[in-house]
Amino acid sequence: MNNKLISIALTGLLASTSISSAFGTNISIVGRIQAEYSGINIEGFSSQTTVNDPTFFSSWGIRAFEDLGNGFRVVTMIDFGFNTNGGSIGNREVFVGISKDSLGTLKFGRTHSPFADFAGGWTIDPFVYTTLQATGSGGTMIASANGLGSGSYSAVNSVVRFTSTTFNGFSFAVLLMPGDADKLEAHLGGHLGGHGNNIGDTGGENGEWDVQFAAKYVMDFQSHKLEVFGGYSRDNVSSAQKKITAFNLKTEEVGRIGGVWSYKNFSLQGQYDFISKALGAATCSDAAALGAIGDVSTRQCNTAMNPGGDGSIWYAGGQYRLGNATLIAQGGMTDANKTDVFASRKSKSFTVGGLYHMSKRTNLFGGYQHVDVIDKNSIVDRDRNTWTVGMRHLF
């Protein structure tokens, strides 16, 4: 389905100015900007309404490539995020790499993870990078603070990533991150995980490598298109996390399966993640949250597993394209099993809304989301009701 919002989230940026340097490098200045008028009602708290870009979609940057001959190219990216209230957010992707159309692309630096932009994640959520996104606020997709999940804005530091070209419908992506316990420690940041300083931080104990692998297969038959995908993610526990003996934290592992079926103007998509030995902050990021950063009672983050515990997250949705408009219904559930320290926690959500494509560069969006929180660790379940209308433009 030709869904403009998904394609924007995937491509990230659209070149507005392209020049060639004296050394033969092609340089593009790229950017995007978004604003939403949104309201959030959290049970037991007063409603919040803002005009802002709360999921930090807006950014500007520079892309460059150089043709090396024989089909090889050097590729680079520097991307800076910001919000529409004038605040500076920081780096997104910053990498250098080499690509060949017949093989794929190899990147070094700070990149998004395969769970975000390759197999499921952003690629199947039409409301990605809006207040109604499935990560964090919707509670139906994993949103790792260290970037290994699909939380918006988050990326993974200090990585090597290879994404293959498509061979007879099959493609794969693998990401490796060498742990350095002295420089890239993750922070637990409270029993629900997450803290304003942990975005992008990650690392395993004693140099252990974090790894993520994903593969997908796409086939077309008459007017039908089928995509199936799966993946595995391992986030090694850091030495700092291991010192928190009350939670008995160990290496987190995530398994993913999912798929998309499209027929003409209609499509269905779904995804299931199983999380083993969750690392607190690694399943609940500020980047995917709304409300006060660091305030676990009001943050719109419902994908949190119990630290050290197991659980699952599933997501399902459908879309129908009607002219320039796309109608959307989606939802899912987070199910965090109890541990020796915490009781079980669940959240269920549904979202309805739509997109209107004014042009190839400009979109309107809006809708409503309800999240039913069942948290046995809290006296009061903080259910959420969220609505938004917004506009985004590529420049």
Side-chain angles (χ1 to χ4, degrees):
M1 177 171 289
N2 185 21
N3 187 307
K4 300 297 183 185
L5 197 56
I6 293 180
S7 64
I8 290 172
L10 287 175
T11 58
L13 303 163
L14 190 68
S16 61
T17 303
S18 182
I19 60 176
S20 295
S21 74
F23 301 100
T25 299
N26 294 288
I27 302 172
S28 297
I29 300 174
V30 294
R32 59 191 188 179
I33 191 166
Q34 171 176 289
E36 295 182 60
Y37 175 41
S38 58
I40 307 168
N41 182 278
I42 302 173
E43 184 178 355
F45 294 87
S46 60
S47 299
Q48 306 173 56
T49 56
T50 60
V51 178
N52 198 359
D53 181 13
T55 55
F56 313 129
F57 175 81
S58 304
S59 70
W60 70 275
I62 297 173
R63 283 190 303 208
F65 70 89
E66 180 186 10
D67 190 350
L68 300 177
N70 296 320
F72 287 96
R73 296 194 306 171
V74 171
V75 294
T76 63
M77 180 71 197
I78 303 173
D79 189 14
F80 298 96
F82 62 90
N83 65 36
T84 51
N85 280 357
S88 177
I89 302 303
N91 293 333
R92 301 285 183 82
E93 287 194 297
V94 182
F95 64 82
V96 62
I98 188 168
S99 70
K100 184 177 176 62
D101 290 342
S102 60
L103 296 176
T105 302
L106 180 65
K107 299 177 181 178
F108 303 89
R110 175 179 168 87
T111 76
H112 298 308
S113 73
F115 272 22
D117 65 5
F118 179 78
W122 302 348
T123 70
I124 62 173
D125 179 8
F127 281 129
V128 65
Y129 270 115
T130 76
T131 309
L132 303 177
Q133 63 185 354
T135 57
S137 57
T140 58
M141 285 187 183
I142 189 169
S144 302
N146 62 7
L148 288 176
S150 52
S152 56
Y153 171 55
S154 58
V156 194
N157 288 330
S158 180
V159 305
V160 178
R161 172 173 168 170
F162 177 75
T163 305
S164 77
T165 191
T166 300
F167 303 96
N168 296 320
F170 175 81
S171 58
F172 69 92
V174 60
L175 179 147
L176 299 172
M177 199 221 77
D180 187 333
D182 293 329
K183 297 180 180 179
L184 292 174
E185 289 283 13
H187 302 284
L188 188 62
H191 73 271
L192 289 182
H195 191 279
N197 295 323
N198 74 355
I199 296 173
D201 290 348
T202 185
E205 182 188 30
N206 298 325
E208 292 178 312
W209 287 61
D210 291 346
V211 61
Q212 191 170 102
F213 174 84
K216 62 183 176 181
Y217 178 76
V218 179
M219 65 173 292
D220 292 288
F221 177 72
Q222 296 180 350
S223 297
H224 297 268
K225 181 177 181 180
L226 178 65
E227 174 184 319
V228 293
F229 55 82
Y232 168 79
S233 179
R234 186 184 71 206
D235 183 5
N236 290 287
V237 63
S238 71
S239 56
Q241 289 171 325
K242 288 191 70 173
K243 293 177 182 178
I244 308 175
T245 56
F247 298 151
N248 190 29
L249 297 177
K250 299 179 181 179
T251 292
E252 177 187 77
E253 296 180 285
V254 180
R256 167 175 292 183
I257 58 172
V260 180
W261 168 72
S262 300
Y263 177 73
K264 295 183 177 179
N265 292 334
F266 180 74
S267 72
L268 295 173
Q269 60 272 353
Q271 174 178 293
Y272 176 85
D273 288 331
F274 177 78
I275 298 95
S276 173
K277 309 300 181 184
L279 286 180
T283 47
C284 182
S285 75
D286 296 324
L290 300 173
I293 289 179
D295 185 350
V296 297
S297 63
T298 61
R299 294 169 68 235
Q300 287 284 284
C301 195
N302 309 303
T303 58
M305 295 290 107
N306 284 319
D310 301 338
S312 61
I313 303 175
W314 64 263
Y315 158 91
Q319 303 172 56
Y320 182 75
R321 183 70 180 265
L322 185 65
N324 289 338
T326 301
L327 306 178
I328 301 162
Q330 60 187 35
M333 177 186 289
T334 292
D335 191 350
N337 299 334
K338 67 178 182 178
T339 67
D340 293 337
V341 180
F342 299 106
S344 62
R345 179 185 295 112
K346 293 183 180 180
S347 66
K348 299 182 290 184
S349 76
F350 70 85
T351 304
V352 292
L355 317 170
Y356 184 77
H357 317 297
M358 302 177 69
S359 71
K360 292 182 178 180
R361 298 189 178 210
T362 304
N363 288 269
L364 302 176
F365 57 88
Y368 167 79
Q369 181 180 91
H370 174 75
V371 182
D372 180 19
V373 179
I374 307 170
D375 189 352
K376 295 184 179 179
N377 298 282
S378 175
I379 298 175
V380 179
D381 290 331
R382 303 296 185 188
D383 294 349
R384 278 87 162 170
N385 291 285
T386 303
W387 58 264
T388 192
V389 291
M391 181 176 183
R392 61 174 41 162
H393 176 71
L394 301 173
F395 61 89

